[in-house]
Amino acid sequence: MNKGRLFVISGPSGVGKGTIVKKILETEHPVELSVSATTRAPREGEEEGRDYFFVTNEEFEERIANKGFLEYAHVHEHYYGTPKVPVEKALSEGKDIILEIDVQGAMQVKESFDNGVYIFILPPSIDVLRDRIMGRGTETEHSLEVRLGKALEEIRYTGKYDYSVVNDDLEKATEDVIGIMRAEHFRILDAEEIIGKYEEETK
Ligand code: 5GP
């Protein structure tokens, strides 16, 4: 049976993980994206329900109390969380799903999921990362400092992930992540189930 796999993608702000995920969704590779809830304000061009569910602090805290999140974290002075139901639904329907979340959230998911696949996207260097964040032009000086300060802290979590992909070239990094996702479908998760199928035939 083809079971849905959960892919967690993390990496410092500005590393391009959002763009990589968007490109994967544009390919034929069958995978869904988990849309997070956040209390931060929408950036220009962002759409409610596509990029995030934009909620108030009160709404977010109510949802925490109702156990509506698979994980949540306080990142860059705002709340971010993964709504539980869509993830469970996708996996139970045999669909793959990507969670693009920070390291704190990824560590929480690890505690509740045995077979998640954890991919860390790295910048070629911190200098390149700074240039990319500045080039995006959406950050104030304060938020740039907050994000850069957090980058190295996040990179130190690389050892907790299964794969690391350096985003030097966007096309290549996207192909690399898709390659990992494909390969994961060949992982032997339940050998007994496989063997049982062949044993059944010889009975
Ligand atoms: P941004 O504000 O740039 O969209 O995202 C800031 C950070 O929050 C990124 O590192 C992103 O991966 C992370 N993030 C987005 N959604 C979630 C979520 O649902 N949970 C957690 N833990 N982090 C998230």
Side-chain angles (χ1 to χ4, degrees), residues 13 35-41 43 46 51-55 57 60 64 69-83 100-102 104-105 108 136 139 147 150:
S13 173
V35 179
S36 300
T38 183
T39 56
R40 84 148 160 77
R43 294 197 186 110
E46 284 185 335
D51 298 285
Y52 280 107
F53 295 106
F54 296 97
V55 300
N57 257 299
F60 200 101
I64 296 174
F69 291 118
L70 183 65
E71 61 72 35
Y72 70 91
H74 215 241
V75 194
H76 308 142
E77 305 170 332
H78 295 289
Y79 275 129
Y80 293 81
T82 304
E100 191 218 309
I101 61 178
D102 87 314
Q104 305 169 58
Q108 289 176 49
R136 193 159 72 180
E139 305 307 314
R147 279 161 200 265
K150 224 187 152 230

Side-chain angles (χ1 to χ4, degrees), residues 150-167:
K150 224 187 152 230
L152 192 60
E153 221 177 276
E154 288 179 322
I155 288 170
R156 292 200 179 101
Y157 276 84
T158 302
K160 306 268 186 206
Y161 284 70
D162 300 310
Y163 296 95
S164 69
V165 171
V166 176
N167 183 17

Side-chain angles (χ1 to χ4, degrees), residues 14-148:
V15 79
K17 58 193 186 298
T19 316
I20 291 173
V21 169
K22 260 191 209 118
K23 286 184 82 68
I24 294 171
L25 295 175
E26 285 165 7
T27 67
E28 299 285 289
H29 190 81
V31 66
E32 283 188 11
L33 174 66
S34 154
V35 179
S36 300
T38 183
T39 56
R40 84 148 160 77
R43 294 197 186 110
E44 207 173 312
E46 284 185 335
E47 248 177 58
E48 165 73 18
R50 187 196 64 187
D51 298 285
Y52 280 107
F53 295 106
F54 296 97
V55 300
T56 62
N57 257 299
E58 292 69 37
E59 286 167 333
F60 200 101
E61 281 167 1
E62 198 180 305
R63 211 140 157 201
I64 296 174
N66 294 334
K67 307 214 180 313
F69 291 118
L70 183 65
E71 61 72 35
Y72 70 91
H74 215 241
V75 194
H76 308 142
E77 305 170 332
H78 295 289
Y79 275 129
Y80 293 81
T82 304
K84 201 189 269 177
V85 173
V87 174
E88 292 177 343
K89 185 167 176 283
L91 295 177
S92 72
E93 289 172 356
K95 292 178 184 150
D96 285 0
I97 188 157
I98 296 177
L99 273 56
E100 191 218 309
I101 61 178
D102 87 314
V103 292
Q104 305 169 58
M107 295 307 106
Q108 289 176 49
V109 176
K110 257 197 164 178
E111 280 168 24
S112 53
F113 267 90
D114 288 337
N115 297 322
V117 180
Y118 298 81
I119 305 171
F120 199 88
I121 312 292
L122 289 162
S125 68
I126 292 288
D127 268 355
V128 169
L129 189 66
R130 178 183 291 109
D131 290 349
R132 284 187 192 165
I133 297 176
M134 272 159 50
R136 193 159 72 180
T138 53
E139 305 307 314
T140 62
E141 202 158 310
H142 171 69
S143 67
L144 172 68
E145 285 315 308
V146 173
R147 279 161 200 265
L148 278 182

